[in-house]
Amino acid sequence: MTMAAKFTVASTQPETGSSVLDELIGAVPAQSPAPAGNKFVSQLDANSPLDEVESRITAATNEYVVEVGTLLGLVRDNEMWRKSETPYTSWEEYLRIRWDWTPQYANLLIRLVPIVQAVSPHSDRPVNAGQGKALWPIWTQDGGHDKAVEVFKQTPGKKSAAAITRTAVALGYIDEETKPQKEARAAAPPAVLSRFREFADLVSEGDGKHLIEAAKADPDWGKGALLPTLRQAVWMLESEFGDPSDD
């Protein structure tokens, strides 16, 4: 069995025990925002071929949250997964079999789309999911759109998730964590970290070369499974640890 064949993308998926994920997934209605004017669903609608939508998901680049979140919202809200030749029985099954993603991860990306869209014009680089999650407590307040934009614009430097939170505290939009809360969080490493061990071993200097060669030998697997997995892993790392230069 090749090194690539041994690897499963499930090792990079978020756990459902995260209170942040649970809040993001459950705090607002399930329907995703209207896609009007969104360039990532231009010329796409509920009648579009599923494989065309999936190809755009696979090809997602720098604006990963908005691209993938918007397209997944189109598939989910219109139950486009029913068009597949594979007889999926539910959205959850579609995600697991087609992408090896959890519904928590997919629904989170969908929910972060409007936040990332709102602040992206004020950023000189693509806004990631970690930044979107940091803005979520402000976004859900009255006048959340304007407050989130204000916090983002006033955050200095690289606008990491930690820096966004500090700015929100300074503006009085959220309460600062107490020292015991911070110490408790620092003392306990994220539970999701253990799920990166297989991935970290796989992309180490030696094994990483085998993985690249496997992707070259099977481009469909490389584009359809490996690339989305790597992007998901980057998102998870950014969400858990933020910008290391910001501490």
Side-chain angles (χ1 to χ4, degrees), residues 16-247:
T16 58
S18 166
S19 60
V20 175
L21 287 179
D22 291 343
E23 180 183 355
L24 281 171
I25 292 163
V28 297
Q31 191 74 9
S32 58
N38 191 310
K39 63 182 179 180
F40 300 113
V41 291
S42 61
Q43 301 178 341
L44 291 176
D45 56 31
N47 297 315
S48 298
L50 177 62
D51 58 0
E52 181 178 349
V53 178
E54 291 178 335
S55 68
R56 294 203 193 185
I57 293 175
T58 300
T61 55
N62 290 333
E63 297 180 70
Y64 183 77
V65 175
V66 176
E67 290 183 61
V68 177
T70 299
L71 293 165
L72 284 175
L74 186 67
V75 174
R76 186 193 67 179
D77 296 346
N78 295 287
E79 296 190 339
M80 295 176 69
W81 47 267
R82 295 184 183 276
K83 297 180 178 181
S84 174
E85 294 180 0
T86 302
Y88 301 117
T89 60
S90 66
W91 162 247
E92 292 77 13
E93 185 177 76
Y94 166 74
L95 290 172
R96 177 176 57 81
I97 295 175
R98 175 62 179 86
W99 300 105
D100 211 352
W101 289 345
T102 64
Q104 289 82 3
Y105 171 73
N107 293 336
L108 175 60
L109 287 182
I110 294 170
R111 295 190 190 284
L112 288 180
V113 167
I115 304 176
V116 173
Q117 284 183 307
V119 301
S120 287
H122 309 286
S123 179
D124 59 358
R125 64 186 68 188
V127 178
N128 61 48
Q131 293 168 298
K133 287 170 64 178
L135 289 166
W136 179 263
I138 305 128
W139 183 265
T140 55
Q141 300 175 14
D142 291 337
H145 177 283
D146 293 339
K147 290 178 180 178
V149 171
E150 179 187 3
V151 168
F152 192 84
K153 290 172 66 174
Q154 292 198 30
T155 299
K158 295 182 179 179
K159 302 183 186 299
S160 68
I164 288 170
T165 298
R166 287 197 294 270
T167 301
V169 170
L171 292 174
Y173 291 147
I174 59 175
D175 295 330
E176 185 174 12
E177 287 184 312
T178 64
K179 185 176 180 181
Q181 286 176 322
K182 290 181 179 179
E183 290 177 346
R185 187 176 64 177
V192 74
L193 185 60
S194 62
R195 305 185 72 175
F196 280 103
R197 289 176 179 169
E198 180 184 355
F199 174 79
D201 290 342
L202 184 65
V203 297
S204 63
E205 183 176 354
D207 290 339
K209 294 179 181 178
H210 295 298
L211 193 64
I212 292 172
E213 291 304 316
K216 289 180 179 179
D218 187 353
D220 290 338
W221 173 82
K223 292 180 181 180
L226 177 62
L227 193 56
T229 299
L230 293 175
R231 287 178 177 144
Q232 186 184 14
V234 170
W235 172 81
M236 285 296 300
L237 289 169
E238 289 175 340
S239 300
E240 290 294 335
F241 305 114
D243 186 343
S245 66
D246 186 67
D247 294 330

